[in-house]
Amino acid sequence: MEKQQYIERAESVLYKTYNRFPVVFDHGEGVSLFDNEGNEYLDFGAGIAVMGLGYHYPGFDEAVKAQVDKLCHISNLFYSTPMIEAGEKLLKASQMERVFFTNSGTEAIEGALKIAKRHAYNKGMAPDYEIIAMKNSFHGRSLGALSVTGNDHYQEPFAPLIPNIKFAKFNDLESVKALWSEKTCAVLMETIQGEGGIYPAAPEFLAGVRALCDEQGALLMLDEIQCGMGRSGSMFAWQGYGVKPDVMTVAKALGNGVPVGAFLACGEAAAAMVPGDHGSTYGGNPLVCAAAAKVLDIFEEDDVIGHVSEVGEYLWEKLEQLAESEPHVVAHRGKALIQGLEFDCPVAPIVKNALLEQRMVLISAGTNVIRFVPPLVIQEEDVDEMIARLGRAIAAVG
Ligand SMILES: *Cc1c(COP(=O)(O)O)cnc(C)c1O
């Protein structure tokens, strides 16, 4: 069937919340995607930082298929071995004490918010306690996650949202202090802001917020959904700062395309909720946990993070050169395989040309930033190829 016919069928059935690019993808291999007409695309978007291991990483499909043949779902009324294994491996990698598996990132944030509220309630705080989140942040689309997402455009049509959320300026410790009161029960932020345009937390900011939380008995909650799972060159980005959160969230690359997320906690936060406080029918079922356990095994056995550090440094050099030679680039930010180039103009035309003419998947973050979140398994020659195609896309757009 013709591409256009597929697109028309899609547009006549799907709820219109997305403006999709006119490409119908069919299959993937390594760091390439193929459309229904057989064209190959270099993938530097990884399904929005999800396909950390790329497509068909050795052993991954086999592990998922084996679990399909055994058991996909039992509910959380019972135990299963994949959940135990995925849980143990994730705790080991994260240095946390407890994990709850979710179906998405936004649900992991919901869980973190419920821990913050339950922890405050347990301490006997008045119910008007407050959570400090960050401007320019992104935590997801459910109403709770939207309440802590510092983006008026996303929030406005759905107001009123959860009350008592205050927004500080990211990387501005004084703005956090200015909002602080005895009502503050938690601070939530991305360790590296993703959707907002790839802004890493400044080390002194993260350490300063940690110290404030410690002084006041508030929880530090770090959203690692995009920057976690090795992408920053550490398993979780906070590990590269030496600042440990009380609560953290993970999703995106955890299942390498199988939908699974988690919220994790340590210390008091690890025991704040009790049986009956939270649940999920699908959450952490054997299928998704078999995928997550395999991903975590591969990370360890194949030193994925060592590779990310090396190729991430190479990507940094190449983007730095491009930033210097391209007058429309005004900033270059990020770490390892989560980097961004900020332009002095909207990047949508470049992204579209890259896709349709250069056959390369790039994604933006906000209007003016191209975000580079490729599969973690890219090689230096893929970086070179990306830079060449991006150069042509920029030139074509003019
Ligand atoms: C993608 C993302 C989310 C939301 O995850 P979903 O799986 O889309 O619900 C939350 N926080 C951050 C930092 C993200 O990048």
Side-chain angles (χ1 to χ4, degrees):
M1 187 181 285
E2 289 294 314
K3 174 167 90 173
Q4 200 50 40
Q5 287 174 279
Y6 282 121
I7 292 172
E8 278 160 23
R9 279 169 65 192
E11 291 304 330
S12 68
V13 295
L14 301 176
Y15 206 105
K16 290 190 200 296
T17 60
Y18 283 102
N19 289 313
R20 291 182 167 83
F21 290 102
V23 174
V24 181
F25 280 123
D26 182 68
H27 63 281
E29 188 57 54
V31 297
S32 290
L33 283 166
F34 295 82
D35 68 16
N36 73 317
E37 295 166 339
N39 299 303
E40 180 175 356
Y41 299 74
L42 177 60
D43 182 14
F44 259 69
I48 318 186
V50 167
M51 302 304 295
L53 301 176
Y55 306 92
H56 310 299
Y57 191 94
F60 178 72
D61 296 6
E62 290 78 356
V64 175
K65 285 176 189 169
Q67 190 59 44
V68 169
D69 289 338
K70 276 168 99 173
L71 184 64
C72 286
H73 181 83
I74 49 166
S75 87
N76 278 302
L77 301 178
F78 310 100
Y79 299 100
S80 76
T81 50
M83 188 186 238
I84 298 164
E85 276 164 21
E88 286 174 349
K89 290 173 207 285
L90 196 52
L91 290 190
K92 184 169 170 238
S94 65
Q95 303 157 256
M96 293 279 131
E97 292 165 16
R98 295 282 166 179
V99 57
F100 184 102
F101 287 104
T102 66
N103 309 295
S104 66
T106 202
E107 286 168 82
I109 294 291
E110 294 294 323
L113 294 175
K114 284 180 75 173
I115 289 180
K117 283 179 166 274
R118 190 50 148 118
H119 183 248
Y121 175 87
N122 295 348
K123 285 205 304 182
M125 287 174 84
D128 60 350
Y129 40 65
E130 295 169 352
I131 295 173
I132 297 178
M134 297 296 143
K135 292 180 180 162
N136 196 47
S137 60
F138 182 83
H139 298 292
R141 302 301 200 135
S142 57
L143 289 171
L146 191 56
S147 301
V148 287
T149 288
N151 180 321
D152 295 340
H153 175 71
Y154 288 165
Q155 285 198 342
E156 199 189 276
F158 303 103
L161 295 166
I162 295 180
N164 295 1
I165 311 287
K166 293 189 164 177
F167 289 98
K169 200 162 168 250
F170 191 60
N171 279 341
D172 181 344
L173 192 58
E174 290 310 312
S175 79
V176 179
K177 286 183 183 160
L179 294 178
W180 204 284
S181 78
E182 73 284 350
K183 294 180 186 174
T184 305
C185 73
V187 178
L188 171 68
M189 68 172 110
E190 294 150 271
T191 320
I192 301 174
Q193 287 191 331
E195 302 288 325
I198 317 294
Y199 289 91
E204 59 284 5
F205 177 69
L206 199 52
V209 173
R210 175 72 271 178
L212 270 178
C213 289
D214 286 342
E215 276 164 35
Q216 313 280 341
L219 300 179
L220 174 61
M221 310 201 294
L222 293 179
D223 183 346
E224 290 269 341
I225 290 169
Q226 187 159 162
C227 61
M229 293 303 294
R231 190 162 283 288
S232 72
S234 311
M235 188 63 188
F236 296 102
W238 60 261
Q239 291 165 332
Y241 288 83
V243 171
K244 190 175 175 182
D246 303 291
V247 178
M248 60 172 274
T249 56
V250 54
K252 290 201 164 86
L254 176 61
N256 199 51
V258 173
V260 55
F263 60 84
L264 299 106
C266 62
E268 277 180 17
M273 289 203 284
V274 300
D277 276 351
H278 198 57
S280 168
T281 301
Y282 292 142
N285 78 20
L287 176 63
V288 302
C289 282
K294 188 66 188 177
V295 167
L296 291 161
D297 277 346
I298 291 170
F299 265 73
E300 195 167 313
E301 286 161 15
D302 295 354
D303 188 21
V304 172
I305 291 169
H307 174 73
V308 169
S309 301
E310 279 175 32
V311 76
E313 205 164 306
Y314 189 75
L315 176 65
W316 183 270
E317 285 165 24
K318 294 290 154 178
L319 287 178
E320 203 53 22
Q321 286 167 12
L322 193 134
E324 278 161 22
S325 64
E326 176 50 60
H328 290 290
V329 175
V330 294
H332 174 207
R333 295 183 292 267
K335 284 190 175 177
L337 292 182
I338 175 163
Q339 297 189 33
L341 278 187
E342 183 172 338
F343 286 67
D344 62 5
C345 54
V347 295
I350 302 173
V351 167
K352 193 163 183 187
N353 181 281
L355 180 71
L356 300 178
E357 305 295 331
Q358 311 301 328
R359 305 247 186 259
M360 171 167 73
V361 177
L362 283 179
I363 58 178
S364 58
T367 44
N368 286 14
V369 177
I370 296 182
R371 134 171 68 164
F372 302 86
V373 287
L376 306 180
V377 295
I378 54 156
Q379 302 293 331
E380 291 188 358
E381 55 264 31
D382 300 315
V383 173
D384 292 339
E385 187 58 35
M386 180 280 287
I387 294 284
R389 294 188 197 191
L390 175 57
R392 291 200 289 273
I394 294 172
V397 169

